[in-house]
Amino acid sequence: MDLRVDFSGRGILYTEEEIAVVAEVMRHGKTLTQGEHMRAFEQGFADYLGAGQCFTAMNGVSALELSAQLCGFRPGDEVVVPSHTFTASAYPYLKKGAKLVWADIDPVTRVVSAETLEKVLTPRTRAIVVVHLYGYVADMPAIMDLARSRGILVIEDAAQSIGADVAGVKSGAWGDMAIFSFHSHKNMTTLGEGGMLVVRDPELAALVPMLRHNGHCAYPDPRPGGGRDYWIPAMGNVDLPERDGTFLMPNNYCLGEVECALGLKLLERIDRINAEKRERALRFIDALADFPELEFHRVDSTRHNYHLLAACMRNGRRDAFIRSMYHDKGVRCVVQYLPLNRYDFYRKLGLDRADCPNADAFFDGQISFPFQHSLSEAEFDIMLEATRETLASLRETGGGQESGAA
Ligand SMILES: *Cc1c(COP(=O)(O)O)cnc(C)c1O
């Protein structure tokens, strides 16, 4: 078998103009970190989002860790996270002292809803992490109403949903905080790693530059001698405020100038990338309409950017499908997002209990197709044809049809 279409390819291909932006900073950048390109990317991203203050970070996880620190957890505080998500949505909050509580997903949208969240809220719930998984934006108007009525913080994990919106407001512009990822697989990537933290409260936002960079801050002005002795007592101060009896701990989570310059440039193209992925997803879904045993979440609007193309086979033939796609057709699909409560890591920590039947049932039939923007039309056609043939032959070998009716 030779592999013709692989799930783990890079997210996008760069244009010559984008490569030139990188080379330009390599040649002439005044500094290679925390300079004009960082500030320009953060401002450009805030303008794109239309809300909040934006801070670049090394990757999505470092942005999540910063958001967890800004929550200022007290002992016993709970954070609600969907059980059906990437592990990085959860462990940063655990590291910063919160107790994790798993929420179920909606069976159709595959993301949390106000209903699934409400079921697991307690008086100790401090924050909810809403993950716009696969690139589909959860029902933020209802979720924000719920959270506001209970005084709960909302953090959006928008790692997969850049540019997608609901009710005319982009994902990441709804919550108290939000994070984005520019990892190699994502719809927009800053050379493999990169992230963004969005903070709404100006007081919390003011802490981020210090928290992100070693606790560095300025001494109060003026320095001795009316500012003349700029070096006294030293170049800069190190400080971070105490909150609720605990000190915030510093990090170094800065993103380099080259990545920031590229990130700003990619904002010009991200809506087009998303639109092209959505168009392709709909083409794939519609071409398989006569195989209802493969269930997709079809959304013909900017509420979905189709970062990933996920399906569910509830007839017990998922493994047979993936096996045949790989061994007979050379198309490597994968199964994603083992419910977090089922991972060894979370089980060892006593986090094995979850009342998430929809997440469990969805996962047991889950299939993720190769869907990076960098897939060629030829690869896409091979994958579509392979899928049709595999589904047809599964029907012939029996059992493939009876659960087709939704
Ligand atoms: C990619 C991803 C992250 C982590 O982002 P990195 O940039 O890889 O650290 C977090 N949450 C979700 C849902 C992701 O898909």
Side-chain angles (χ1 to χ4, degrees):
M1 183 278 312
D2 98 273
L3 192 56
R4 296 189 297 167
V5 190
D6 191 2
F7 179 85
S8 23
R10 57 193 278 176
I12 58 172
L13 300 174
Y14 293 119
T15 65
E16 287 306 317
E17 256 187 55
E18 288 156 4
I19 292 167
V21 164
V22 168
E24 174 60 22
V25 181
M26 287 175 75
R27 287 204 181 88
H28 301 298
K30 286 196 209 74
T31 172
L32 291 172
T33 187
Q34 295 201 85
E36 57 181 321
H37 298 293
M38 179 188 84
R39 289 187 291 276
F41 184 28
E42 290 174 347
Q43 188 55 54
F45 203 86
D47 294 343
Y48 178 75
L49 213 56
Q53 283 190 59
C54 296
F55 300 93
T56 51
M58 231 159 49
N59 47 41
V61 167
S62 47
L64 282 159
E65 293 221 354
L66 292 169
S67 79
Q69 285 182 288
L70 291 175
C71 287
F73 297 121
R74 289 160 305 221
D77 279 355
E78 295 174 359
V79 172
V80 173
V81 183
S83 72
H84 184 66
T85 183
F86 184 53
T87 178
S89 307
Y91 71 80
Y93 300 93
L94 193 61
K95 277 172 84 171
K96 302 302 173 194
K99 174 173 181 257
L100 300 181
V101 174
W102 309 119
D104 205 0
I105 53 169
D106 176 273
V108 175
T109 64
R110 298 125 183 222
V111 294
V112 294
S113 67
E115 292 72 43
T116 68
L117 291 169
E118 190 163 18
K119 279 190 194 144
V120 292
L121 299 184
T122 76
R124 309 305 313 258
T125 308
R126 189 71 203 297
I128 296 170
V129 180
V130 177
V131 186
H132 306 304
L133 202 67
Y134 302 117
Y136 178 75
V137 189
D139 185 0
M140 292 312 292
I143 291 170
M144 292 310 297
D145 282 350
L146 172 68
R148 291 280 176 262
S149 74
R150 309 274 188 108
I152 294 170
L153 290 168
V154 173
I155 300 143
E156 296 179 80
D157 179 342
Q160 303 190 357
S161 66
I162 186 169
D165 63 66
V166 57
V169 178
K170 287 200 170 83
S171 65
W174 288 91
D176 299 286
M177 290 182 252
I179 73 94
F180 290 85
S181 165
F182 312 125
H183 178 270
S184 177
H185 282 177
K186 302 288 165 32
N187 283 17
M188 143 171 175
T189 176
T190 50
L191 299 177
E193 296 283 347
M196 191 73 78
L197 171 69
V198 185
V199 182
R200 186 182 290 266
D201 177 346
E203 270 180 46
L204 290 182
L207 298 173
V208 177
M210 288 184 271
L211 205 53
R212 175 177 60 179
H213 190 231
N214 304 307
H216 284 329
C217 55
Y219 280 107
D221 265 348
R223 298 284 190 102
R228 191 195 51 199
D229 294 344
Y230 64 86
W231 61 90
I232 294 175
M235 191 169 89
N237 198 1
V238 170
D239 195 15
L240 271 167
E242 184 189 343
R243 299 172 71 221
D244 301 323
T246 55
F247 276 93
L248 285 169
M249 287 291 155
N251 315 278
N252 182 4
Y253 287 166
C254 297
L255 185 66
E257 285 287 275
V258 168
E259 289 85 348
C260 290
L262 177 61
L264 180 65
K265 181 71 185 166
L266 285 168
L267 286 179
E268 295 173 9
R269 191 158 72 99
I270 186 60
D271 286 346
R272 194 149 33 94
I273 290 171
N274 285 346
E276 284 165 8
K277 290 194 79 164
R278 185 166 46 247
E279 182 274 326
R280 236 183 202 178
L282 296 173
R283 207 161 13 117
F284 195 75
I285 294 167
D286 292 343
L288 295 165
D290 45 343
F291 293 99
E293 61 269 40
L294 196 60
E295 294 170 31
F296 288 96
H297 183 211
R298 188 185 192 285
V299 181
D300 188 5
S301 78
T302 52
R303 188 157 172 187
H304 207 326
N305 73 8
Y306 285 98
H307 164 57
L308 292 167
L309 182 59
C312 188
M313 262 181 117
R314 296 182 196 268
N315 59 6
R317 313 219 64 202
R318 189 270 312 271
D319 292 349
F321 174 82
I322 295 182
R323 202 173 288 133
S324 170
M325 285 287 280
Y326 184 73
H327 293 286
D328 305 332
K329 306 291 186 191
V331 177
R332 197 171 79 95
C333 298
V334 300
V335 172
Q336 281 182 300
Y337 310 126
L338 181 69
L340 298 184
N341 53 291
R342 294 203 222 162
Y343 276 114
D344 295 338
F345 173 72
Y346 295 101
R347 286 199 294 111
K348 283 183 197 159
L349 287 160
L351 294 164
D352 52 331
R353 251 162 308 150
D355 182 17
C356 302
N358 296 333
D360 288 331
F362 177 69
F363 171 76
D364 291 337
Q366 206 272 2
I367 303 162
S368 248
F369 288 87
F371 207 59
Q372 49 277 25
H373 185 260
S374 60
L375 277 190
S376 68
E377 275 301 289
E379 288 172 311
F380 177 79
D381 290 342
I382 288 169
M383 180 166 80
L384 179 54
E385 197 47 40
T387 303
R388 290 191 61 87
E389 287 171 9
T390 302
L391 289 170
S393 84
L394 281 181
R395 280 182 176 183
E396 276 161 29
T397 54
Q401 231 165 341
E402 61 257 43
S403 72

